[in-house]
Amino acid sequence: MKTYSISEVAKELNLTAYTLRYYDKEGLMPFVERTPSGKRIFTESDIGFLKVIQCLKLTGMPLKDIKNFIAWCSDGDSTLQQRYDMFVDRKATVEAQMEELKKTLEVIEHKTFYYKTALEAGTEEIHKENKVWI
């Protein structure tokens, strides 16, 4: 089985080794083994699990909740419902974030149009007669 160093994993996940050490210190990586000298050794499975952690973090999930998820995984099948419910909740959270981002994108697209046409006309006055909001 191929193993990876902390620097290799950091590069793969676009994180710093410091971040991975912090995750470990916070109890987010109980699955990672160590060599007799204390160096962390990662497997493909560990990297996959870290990708899930990274995904959850990107949804805005607090580290304490991610830690609960990891504990549930360690508890096995008895926590399947909690894990399922957590992902249903995360999905709803991400969908709400996406709706907000769509609204934000609409404003940015409008402003891009506004300034592009003002630049082409050489003035913002073009929008005053069209009552386009600034």
Side-chain angles (χ1 to χ4, degrees), residues 29-70:
M29 300 186 333
F31 47 84
V32 174
E33 295 189 24
R34 292 179 180 254
T35 65
S37 64
K39 290 177 73 172
R40 293 168 189 87
I41 48 175
F42 297 83
T43 65
E44 288 289 337
S45 177
D46 297 336
I47 293 170
F49 208 92
L50 284 164
K51 287 179 180 179
V52 173
I53 292 170
Q54 201 171 25
C55 171
L56 293 172
K57 191 157 178 350
L58 286 171
T59 70
M61 181 180 261
L63 290 181
K64 69 178 183 65
D65 293 341
I66 296 172
K67 191 173 179 179
N68 286 338
F69 166 69
I70 292 164

Side-chain angles (χ1 to χ4, degrees), residues 10-117:
K11 184 177 179 180
E12 167 77 19
L13 299 176
N14 199 26
L15 296 171
T16 64
Y18 173 82
T19 299
L20 290 171
R21 286 186 199 98
Y22 175 75
Y23 286 177
D24 193 22
K25 186 181 108 195
E26 290 298 310
L28 299 179
M29 300 186 333
F31 47 84
V32 174
E33 295 189 24
R34 292 179 180 254
T35 65
S37 64
K39 290 177 73 172
R40 293 168 189 87
I41 48 175
F42 297 83
T43 65
E44 288 289 337
S45 177
D46 297 336
I47 293 170
F49 208 92
L50 284 164
K51 287 179 180 179
V52 173
I53 292 170
Q54 201 171 25
C55 171
L56 293 172
K57 191 157 178 350
L58 286 171
T59 70
M61 181 180 261
L63 290 181
K64 69 178 183 65
D65 293 341
I66 296 172
K67 191 173 179 179
N68 286 338
F69 166 69
I70 292 164
W72 290 337
C73 291
S74 297
D75 290 343
D77 290 347
S78 65
T79 61
L80 285 172
Q81 187 67 52
Q82 289 100 317
R83 289 182 272 162
Y84 172 78
D85 292 344
M86 185 204 72
F87 275 100
V88 168
D89 179 60
R90 285 292 95 196
K91 182 177 184 280
T93 298
V94 170
E95 288 170 344
Q97 290 169 338
M98 289 172 66
E99 285 304 312
E100 285 300 313
L101 284 172
K102 284 179 188 176
K103 291 175 189 173
T104 302
L105 183 57
E106 287 173 11
V107 171
I108 290 170
E109 287 173 338
H110 170 76
K111 296 308 288 177
T112 302
F113 165 79
Y114 176 94
Y115 288 113
K116 181 179 182 205
T117 54

